[in-house]
Amino acid sequence: MFIEYEDLRRVNAPFQEEFTGAFAGLLKSGWYILGSQVESFETAFAAYCGTEHCVGVASGLDALVLALRSLDLKPGDEVIVPANTYIASILAVLHNGLKPVLVEPDIQTYNIDASKIEAKISSRTKAILAVHLYGKLCNMEAILEIAGRHQLYVVEDCAQAHGASYKGKKAGNFGDFGAFSFYPTKNLGALGDAGAITFQGNERLSLLKQLRNYGSEKKYHNNMVGFNSRLDEIQAAFLAIKLKHLDRINQHKRELAQIYDQGLNDQFIMPVKQDDYEDVHHIYPIRHPERDKLRQYLLDHEIRTEVHYPIPPHRQKAMQGVIEKDDYSLTTEIHDTVLSLPVSACHSAEEIHRVVEMLNRF
Ligand SMILES: *Cc1c(COP(=O)(O)O)cnc(C)c1O
C-alpha cells in the first residue's frame, strides 16, 4: 500500500458528521460573512493560544500583511526576516513597501539564528519577523531581548506552529502579533483558505478589524485604506470543530516523530530536540547529502515525501534585485539536503515504522 505524504481526505473524514451539521446550520442561518461563527472561533483560538485577542482573516499571508500594516511603519523601513523560510514571510514585508533583510538560520534548528540578527540591524530596522519553521519555536527569549534593546516590533509567523510552545507558552503569544495560516495542510487546517492574527491588548483590535473589512467599522463608512480579507463563517465553523482536536492531532504527530527519532540510523541528519521546546512537527525534516536520490528511492518503494522547500527565497526569480546579495550558504545547504517525511494526522504508527525500515536500508 502506497504511503502518501499527506491525504486530506483521511485527515478530515473523522469530522464529516460535525462538518455536515455545521454546514446545515450555516445554510439555514443565511449569514455567511463576519457573524457568530467567526466571533466564537476567534474567542476559542485566542483562549487556546493564551492571547487576549484573535482576529480572523482570509489567509496566513494576509495575517502577516495586516499585522505589519497595523504598525506605524514607513516605506523603506527594514524588517529582519529569516533567509530560510517560506516565501510568504518575505512577501508580507514587500506588500507593505518595507525592506526585507535576511538573516541566516541556525543549522541545528533551521530557525533564524538570533546571534546573527544584530549585525543586520540598521537605523531603519523597525521589526523582526520570526518564523517558527516546521513546528518548532524560534529562540524567542533571545529575539525578544534584542527587540527590546533596539525597540523593534516582533511579529511571529506561526503558520507551521499551532500549539507549539516554549516553557509552556504557545506560539503567537510572544511577540506583538502572531500570524496564523489555516491552509488545509497545516496542523489546524480549514477546507479552504483562512488565517488569523493573535495579540494582547486593545490598542490595535479595532484597527485590525477595520483593515480586514474595507477599512470600515460601520458599513459604508471607510476610515482607512482597507482590504477585503475576512475569515469566512463556514471556515470558522469548520475550524472551531477541528480546534477541539488540535492537541490530539499534535500529540499524534509527536508520537510519529518519536518513531523516526528512535528508529532512523545515523546516515540521516535529524531534527534537533531541545529542552523546554514542545514541537508540533508540522513537518518532519531530515537531511541527507543525496536527498534527490533518497527521495526517488522512497518513491520506488511506494513512499511519497516532499521538499520544504526546493528553492530558497534568495534564489527565486521574483526576489532578484529585491533581496540584498549576501552569503546565504546555510539556507542553500538546507534547501539542497532537506527531505520532509510523512508525519500527518492520517498516518498510523505502522506506516511510519515501514518508512523507517525503508530509510534505514538506503
Ligand atoms: C503556509 C505558510 C504561510 C502562508 O499561509 P497561507 O495561508 O498559504 O497564505 C506563511 N508562512 C509560512 C511559514 C507558511 O508555512
Side-chain angles (χ1 to χ4, degrees):
M1 247 240 313
F2 215 106
I3 299 178
E4 293 296 341
Y5 177 71
E6 174 68 292
D7 184 343
L8 291 176
R9 269 178 309 182
R10 272 170 74 192
V11 167
N12 287 312
F15 309 109
Q16 177 164 353
E17 212 169 296
E18 278 186 275
F19 283 169
T20 309
F23 171 72
L26 189 87
L27 187 64
K28 226 168 118 184
S29 79
W31 193 278
Y32 309 130
I33 300 278
L34 294 186
S36 61
Q37 299 298 327
V38 167
E39 259 179 50
S40 75
F41 173 71
E42 287 173 340
T43 304
F45 194 64
Y48 179 84
C49 296
T51 58
E52 274 177 78
H53 299 295
C54 167
V55 171
V57 295
S59 72
L61 174 60
D62 280 4
L64 289 164
V65 170
L66 297 194
L68 288 170
R69 183 64 59 102
S70 76
L71 301 170
D72 50 340
L73 305 181
K74 291 175 198 62
D77 281 350
E78 295 175 5
V79 179
I80 300 282
V81 284
N84 187 49
T85 187
Y86 179 57
I87 197 78
S89 325
I90 296 167
L91 291 179
V93 175
L94 293 169
H95 284 314
N96 276 294
L98 306 167
K99 184 179 171 207
V101 175
L102 274 59
V103 171
E104 280 272 80
D106 176 330
I107 195 69
Q108 301 288 326
T109 66
Y110 308 137
N111 280 326
I112 192 165
D113 185 341
S115 73
K116 292 182 179 159
I117 291 177
E118 277 193 298
K120 295 261 187 156
I121 290 177
S122 79
S123 60
R124 300 219 65 174
T125 309
K126 293 288 152 46
I128 301 174
L129 204 172
V131 184
H132 309 309
L133 207 63
Y134 302 150
K136 169 187 281 304
L137 286 188
C138 299
N139 182 352
M140 290 310 293
E141 270 178 11
I143 289 168
L144 290 170
E145 193 270 319
I146 295 163
R149 208 144 25 82
H150 295 268
Q151 293 185 300
L152 309 176
Y153 294 111
V154 174
V155 177
E156 302 170 66
D157 181 338
C158 306
Q160 304 191 358
H162 316 71
S165 65
Y166 171 71
K167 290 187 177 171
K169 191 166 169 170
K170 288 205 182 87
N173 197 356
F174 288 87
D176 295 282
F177 300 104
F180 287 85
S181 163
F182 306 117
Y183 182 80
T185 59
K186 310 288 187 185
N187 286 30
L188 179 59
L191 305 186
D193 279 311
I197 305 163
T198 57
F199 52 99
Q200 310 284 11
N202 297 329
E203 198 184 341
R204 293 190 179 82
L205 177 61
S206 161
L207 175 57
L208 282 167
K209 285 190 168 183
Q210 292 181 64
L211 279 173
R212 76 171 168 187
N213 190 25
Y214 289 113
S216 89
E217 208 159 19
K218 194 170 155 208
K219 210 168 185 185
Y220 308 131
H221 293 249
N222 306 97
N223 300 325
M224 65 194 71
V225 180
F227 296 78
N228 175 351
S229 180
R230 302 171 295 219
L231 171 60
D232 283 331
E233 284 282 283
I234 190 68
Q235 299 302 346
F238 294 152
L239 286 166
I241 290 165
K242 287 183 82 175
L243 178 59
K244 291 181 282 175
H245 301 273
L246 177 57
D247 282 337
R248 188 177 52 74
I249 288 166
N250 285 344
Q251 181 56 29
H252 180 74
K253 285 164 79 83
R254 226 172 263 133
E255 283 162 19
L256 300 182
Q258 204 173 19
I259 296 172
Y260 289 128
D261 290 343
Q262 293 170 353
L264 290 180
N265 65 30
D266 61 10
Q267 67 176 311
F268 307 106
I269 302 173
M270 306 286 286
V272 72
K273 291 171 68 137
Q274 302 160 282
D275 291 343
D276 299 325
Y277 284 79
E278 186 98 29
D279 306 337
V280 293
H281 305 284
H282 172 60
I283 282 163
Y284 191 95
I286 59 168
R287 292 199 295 122
H288 194 281
E290 292 181 292
R291 188 265 315 277
D292 294 337
K293 219 172 114 189
L294 176 61
R295 191 176 186 204
Q296 186 58 48
Y297 158 87
L298 289 170
L299 194 58
D300 293 342
H301 292 88
E302 308 199 317
I303 297 165
R304 216 184 298 277
T305 55
E306 286 290 338
V307 172
H308 298 97
Y309 298 89
I311 305 170
H314 69 275
R315 293 210 170 150
Q316 295 288 355
K317 189 172 157 199
M319 295 298 139
Q320 299 318 304
V322 176
I323 290 174
E324 218 146 90
K325 289 217 181 324
D326 204 339
D327 176 15
Y328 301 117
S329 50
L330 292 176
T331 295
T332 304
E333 167 76 10
I334 293 166
H335 281 74
D336 286 347
T337 55
V338 78
L339 187 68
S340 306
L341 303 180
V343 68
S344 158
C346 74
H347 291 117
S348 66
E350 206 182 351
E351 288 174 302
I352 303 308
H353 280 295
R354 211 177 95 210
V355 179
V356 168
E357 202 181 301
M358 290 315 308
L359 275 164
N360 285 343
R361 276 194 241 154
F362 179 64

